[in-house]
Amino acid sequence: MIKKIMSNNYTTNSYFILKGQESVLVDPVGDIAYFRDLLQENHAELKGIIYTHGHYDHIASANELYKEFGCNIYIHEDDMQMLLKPKLNLSGFFGSSFVFEGTEKLVGIKDGESLTVGQLSFKIIHTPGHTPGCICIIYDKAIFTGDTLFKGSIGRTDFPGGSFDVIKKSLGKLKTMNPDFIFHPGHGESGTIGDEVATNPYFE
């Protein structure tokens, strides 16, 4: 099961993935009580949290989640410093100064890594351009694209560490994916990789 949750504060999509009684959250942000209730309703244990990148609108709830659940938190090694430096995670734009407090639970991941979290298995694809450590996460026939790919668009490249030329190369990786894969972005609606390759102007 994959459930999308949209945060009203940041219009960011979070994703709840459930297999048996084990679960993983992708880019969870918002009301911690909601995530707690979601786990209880599904009689599930949270085995890990994966962030597609380190911008504040995706990681804003990381400290509360760490204190509530104490599970490992995974992010690409090139974005690990974003969890620790407000200037990099852009929390100042939201009137905050975010620093992650649970560094002992922080796990760096790499391109091509096969990541197993409990019973759930993921493939990590490094897709920089929006940030240096942006990733896409393949799970079964789904791919979580964070802010690399949106329906009809792509993530901004004008923030520190962003690059339009680099994100174009990252799109080249996505272009080779199974066209039937359902992509789940960090903002907006889901779709298929095949439709994006055919219609998204950034794939030209």
Side-chain angles (χ1 to χ4, degrees):
M1 182 183 84
I2 297 173
K3 178 180 177 64
K4 180 168 77 172
I5 307 124
M6 193 183 84
S7 164
N8 290 330
N9 290 339
Y10 309 105
T11 66
T12 300
N13 295 332
S14 305
Y15 296 95
F16 172 73
I17 308 169
L18 180 68
K19 182 177 182 180
Q21 305 309 129
E22 296 185 351
S23 66
V24 166
L25 289 169
V26 173
D27 287 348
V29 64
D31 185 3
I32 301 304
Y34 177 86
F35 293 114
R36 186 192 308 122
D37 291 345
L38 183 63
L39 288 162
Q40 290 176 350
E41 289 167 9
N42 288 278
H43 308 287
E45 179 184 359
L46 182 62
K47 304 301 288 187
I49 293 166
I50 309 175
Y51 288 115
T52 59
H53 65 290
H55 281 152
Y56 183 70
D57 58 329
H58 293 251
I59 66 169
S61 300
N63 282 327
E64 290 84 357
L65 289 159
Y66 156 70
K67 291 171 184 176
E68 178 75 22
F69 300 111
C71 59
N72 283 346
I73 293 179
Y74 302 89
I75 192 168
H76 191 274
E77 57 188 7
D78 289 348
D79 272 13
M80 289 182 76
Q81 286 299 308
M82 296 180 74
L83 284 168
L84 309 175
K85 295 184 178 181
K87 287 185 178 180
L88 295 179
N89 62 46
L90 307 182
S91 52
F93 284 98
F94 298 89
S96 181
S97 182
F98 178 85
V99 177
F100 181 55
E101 300 170 2
T103 52
E104 71 276 7
K105 290 292 185 177
L106 195 57
V107 180
I109 48 181
K110 300 180 180 181
D111 183 40
E113 183 171 342
S114 295
L115 178 66
T116 300
V117 184
Q119 301 180 59
L120 295 93
S121 298
F122 305 90
K123 183 76 169 182
I124 304 303
I125 308 298
H126 186 207
T127 53
H130 180 65
T131 69
C134 259
I135 58 169
C136 292
I137 306 160
I138 299 175
Y139 175 73
D140 195 19
K141 296 179 180 179
I143 179 166
F144 301 91
T145 57
D147 286 8
T148 296
L149 177 66
F150 304 134
K151 200 166 187 179
S153 190
I154 59 173
R156 292 177 60 167
T157 59
D158 57 339
F159 292 131
S163 167
F164 182 75
D165 289 341
V166 171
I167 205 170
K168 286 283 284 183
K169 292 178 181 178
S170 293
L171 292 178
K173 293 183 180 181
L174 297 183
K175 194 173 184 178
T176 67
M177 299 291 174
N178 186 327
D180 294 329
F181 275 8
I182 304 296
F183 79 93
H184 300 291
H187 305 272
E189 297 300 317
S190 300
T192 69
I193 290 293
D195 284 347
E196 288 309 298
V197 171
T199 64
N200 189 320
Y202 292 96
F203 277 101
E204 293 180 357

